[in-house]
Amino acid sequence: MTPLRMVIFGPPGSGKGTQAKLVSELYGIPHISTGDILREEVERGSDLGRMAESYMSRGLLVPDEVVIGIVRQRLMREDCRPGFILDGFPRTLRQAEELDRILGELGWRLDVVVNLVVSEEEVLRRITLRRVCSVCGEIYHLESNPPKRPSVCDRCGGRLYQRDDDTEETVRERLRVYRAQTEPVLRYYRERGLVRDVDGNPPIEEVFEEIKRLISSIKGPI
Ligand code: ADP
Ligand code: ADP
Ligand code: ZN
């Protein structure tokens, strides 16, 4: 298959990370999650991590220059040649414009922006019961996608934790930020004919089937 360069889009908790991991595995392309990269920096206690945490803990966006720099460096790496799936980036118009510039420098362009459509009520239910593996990053949900043993990752045995920003109050702020700063990005991509809306409400496997269908309709079968 020719390279697959896609963005997975949607509000916090819509299932971007879950679907991005599945796409990444099936198509053999890196899953680039700015949220995961920033959380690693926070974990490491780097200067960047400390700065980022002051925004993340309040549900606010980390400054554009910081995340754009991270993504630029990441896309330059060799493993992005067969393509990539961006998750949680771009989140502002400025980030979308800079992404176009970076891709232009590399002689690339996006194939598709998959927009996961999920109600705010469902998003709240998903985020407040989300658990993440502290070792491999696998994503669980206490009701819809629970681990076999409580607090233990099925894949690697790592300990599961709840993200600091997954509280109801912070999620409400993140949803406000999404509507004000991130939704305009969707219009930007719609004008360019790149957006495919996917119903994100069905079970994980069904949403993934739909995304695979969509990718084959654009790129042909794997
Ligand atoms: P995002 O990356 O958009 O914030 P996640 O992939 O982390 O979203 O998913 C948020 C939560 O919802 C997780 O607990 C995940 O297990 C759960 N989830 C993801 N997709 C579905 C789905 N289709 N149905 C039910 N729960 C889901
Ligand atoms: P979710 O999909 O649940 O909203 P993410 O893991 O994508 O969560 O992001 C968590 C936090 O990391 C965001 O609330 C924000 O503070 C920061 N962040 C992640 N990606 C970006 C980005 N592209 N621009 C600015 N801040 C970001
Ligand atoms: Zn794990």
Side-chain angles (χ1 to χ4, degrees), residues 86-97:
L86 280 168
D87 159 16
F89 183 95
R91 254 178 159 99
T92 63
L93 274 179
R94 163 101 197 281
Q95 291 178 19
E97 286 161 2

Side-chain angles (χ1 to χ4, degrees), residues 2-156:
T2 53
L4 171 62
R5 303 181 182 113
M6 72 179 267
V7 168
I8 186 123
F9 203 89
S14 54
K16 300 184 297 296
T18 301
Q19 296 298 328
K21 283 175 194 295
L22 294 169
V23 169
S24 158
E25 247 166 61
L26 183 63
Y27 295 89
I29 54 175
H31 167 206
I32 304 178
S33 157
T34 43
D36 284 352
I37 296 170
L38 291 167
R39 275 185 293 278
E40 278 163 24
E41 293 294 331
V42 171
E43 192 59 33
R44 250 210 298 274
S46 65
D47 289 344
L48 170 62
R50 267 196 298 278
M51 184 272 288
E53 192 178 19
S54 65
Y55 295 92
M56 295 166 82
S57 62
R58 288 181 290 158
L60 303 177
L61 295 184
V62 173
D64 283 334
E65 309 78 69
V66 175
V67 273
I68 290 164
I70 288 173
V71 170
R72 170 185 290 277
Q73 280 198 353
R74 185 64 191 83
L75 287 174
M76 300 283 170
R77 276 168 47 185
E78 192 72 15
D79 63 343
C80 290
R81 283 167 170 263
F84 52 81
I85 176 162
L86 280 168
D87 159 16
F89 183 95
R91 254 178 159 99
T92 63
L93 274 179
R94 163 101 197 281
Q95 291 178 19
E97 286 161 2
E98 287 298 322
L99 176 61
D100 277 348
R101 207 188 314 276
I102 296 166
L103 294 178
E105 284 169 22
L106 289 159
W108 298 344
R109 42 186 217 83
L110 288 176
D111 295 304
V112 65
V113 174
V114 170
N115 178 41
L116 294 176
V117 184
V118 178
S119 70
E120 292 207 355
E121 193 192 340
E122 174 65 8
V123 150
L124 271 170
R125 191 188 76 86
R126 287 188 183 178
I127 296 195
T128 45
L129 295 178
R130 167 164 58 191
R131 295 293 183 274
V132 183
C133 176
S134 56
V135 178
C136 75
E138 187 70 4
I139 304 164
Y140 296 88
H141 186 275
L142 293 185
E143 283 171 2
S144 67
N145 183 27
K148 293 200 177 68
R149 286 194 292 153
S151 299
V152 178
C153 178
D154 294 350
R155 286 181 74 151
C156 78

